[in-house]
Amino acid sequence: MEFDEVVRRRRMIRGYDPDRPIPPELVDKIVRNGLRAPSAGFSQGWSFLVLTSAEDRERFWTSTASADGDPGGWLGRMRTAPLIIVALSNKSVYLDRYAESDKGWTDRDEARWPVPYWDIDTGFAALLMHLTAVNEDLGSCFFGVPADRVQAFRTAFGVPDEFNPVGVLSVGYRGTDKRSPSLKRGHRPVDDVVHHGRWTSAAGA
C-alpha cells in the first residue's frame, strides 16, 4: 500500500480468522521492521517475545487473564489471533548507554531523563510492527498486560525482571470483528490539538 493508505486503514482489530496462520516469513518481516524504530543513543533497549504456537499463546492468555475479564467479549475474539508479540523495554540499557564517554554523563541517574525513553522507543517499535501488519493486509491490536498480571507473565515465560512489557500486539488475518464503541467519540478537531508558533486555545483567545 501507499503510506497514506496504511495510515488511513490503521485501526485496532480484535477479531481474527483462527484457521489462517501467518507465514513464518511474514512474521519475520513484521518483527524485523520493529527493529528499524528510532531509539535514544541508538540504545535499542527493547526485546520482542514472539508467540506463534497454540501452546505458547494459551500460556500467554492464561497468565495475563484478570479475574474480572470478559472472555465472551472483545477478549474472546482477541484469543483467536495466531500471532502475539510482546514488546518489552529495558531501562538499564539506556542508563548504561548514557553513562558511556560519548554521552558525557558520568552516572546512571534516572532523574536526568524527562520521560522514560525506553518505553517510548519500544512503543515506536510496536507501532512499526503494527503498521507493517496493516500494510500486509493483516489485522492487529495493541493492548497492555494488566498491572497485577505482569509478574505472572514474567514467570510463565521466564522473562527477567529488568524487562518491562510495554504492550502486546495481537496479529492475524481479519475475522469476525466489532468496532469499538469508543470510536463514536470521533477524532478531536485539528485546531484543538495542533498549535503553531505558540500555544493557543479558545479560552485564551
Side-chain angles (χ1 to χ4, degrees), residues 123-179:
F124 277 143
L127 179 58
L128 284 183
M129 291 188 282
H130 178 62
L131 293 177
T132 301
V134 175
N135 187 60
E136 297 295 332
D137 207 25
L138 295 166
S140 175
C141 185
F142 182 77
F143 59 101
V145 175
D148 63 344
R149 303 302 299 169
V150 169
Q151 190 53 52
F153 159 76
R154 286 198 180 106
T155 299
F157 291 97
V159 177
D161 286 344
E162 62 265 29
F163 289 92
N164 183 50
V166 170
V168 186
L169 287 169
S170 55
V171 186
Y173 292 97
R174 298 187 184 197
T176 302
D177 196 26
K178 183 172 65 175
R179 290 177 66 84

Side-chain angles (χ1 to χ4, degrees), residues 5-202:
E5 179 70 3
V6 172
V7 174
R8 187 186 69 80
R9 293 185 59 178
R10 190 226 61 78
R11 68 182 183 90
M12 297 301 179
I13 302 298
R14 297 173 175 82
Y16 309 94
D17 184 345
D19 299 319
R20 292 189 67 187
I22 301 174
E25 61 272 18
L26 189 47
V27 174
D28 186 63
K29 179 179 181 179
I30 292 170
V31 175
R32 286 181 180 273
N33 278 2
L35 299 177
R36 304 296 299 180
S39 64
F42 208 41
S43 301
Q44 305 169 80
W46 48 53
S47 287
F48 311 134
L49 180 65
V50 181
L51 309 175
T52 55
S53 74
E55 179 182 9
D56 284 340
R57 287 183 279 118
E58 181 58 30
R59 180 181 297 113
F60 171 81
W61 293 116
T62 300
S63 65
T64 60
S66 294
D68 59 350
D70 179 18
W74 69 272
L75 187 56
R77 297 194 304 276
M78 296 274 280
R79 292 175 77 110
T80 62
L83 170 63
I84 295 172
I85 304 172
V86 186
L88 305 109
S89 68
N90 188 335
K91 175 172 63 177
S92 64
V93 172
Y94 285 74
L95 301 184
D96 289 343
R97 172 70 184 96
Y98 274 77
E100 294 177 9
S101 58
D102 65 313
K103 287 301 178 185
W105 294 354
T106 58
D107 56 47
R108 301 173 73 257
D109 187 359
E110 186 179 341
R112 295 180 182 274
W113 295 84
V115 291
Y117 273 91
W118 37 91
D119 293 338
I120 292 170
D121 293 348
T122 302
F124 277 143
L127 179 58
L128 284 183
M129 291 188 282
H130 178 62
L131 293 177
T132 301
V134 175
N135 187 60
E136 297 295 332
D137 207 25
L138 295 166
S140 175
C141 185
F142 182 77
F143 59 101
V145 175
D148 63 344
R149 303 302 299 169
V150 169
Q151 190 53 52
F153 159 76
R154 286 198 180 106
T155 299
F157 291 97
V159 177
D161 286 344
E162 62 265 29
F163 289 92
N164 183 50
V166 170
V168 186
L169 287 169
S170 55
V171 186
Y173 292 97
R174 298 187 184 197
T176 302
D177 196 26
K178 183 172 65 175
R179 290 177 66 84
S180 169
S182 297
L183 294 175
K184 295 177 182 178
R185 293 167 55 87
H187 291 283
R188 292 177 61 194
V190 172
D191 290 344
D192 286 354
V193 179
V194 180
H195 306 271
H196 293 278
R198 61 179 297 169
W199 196 275
T200 57
S201 65

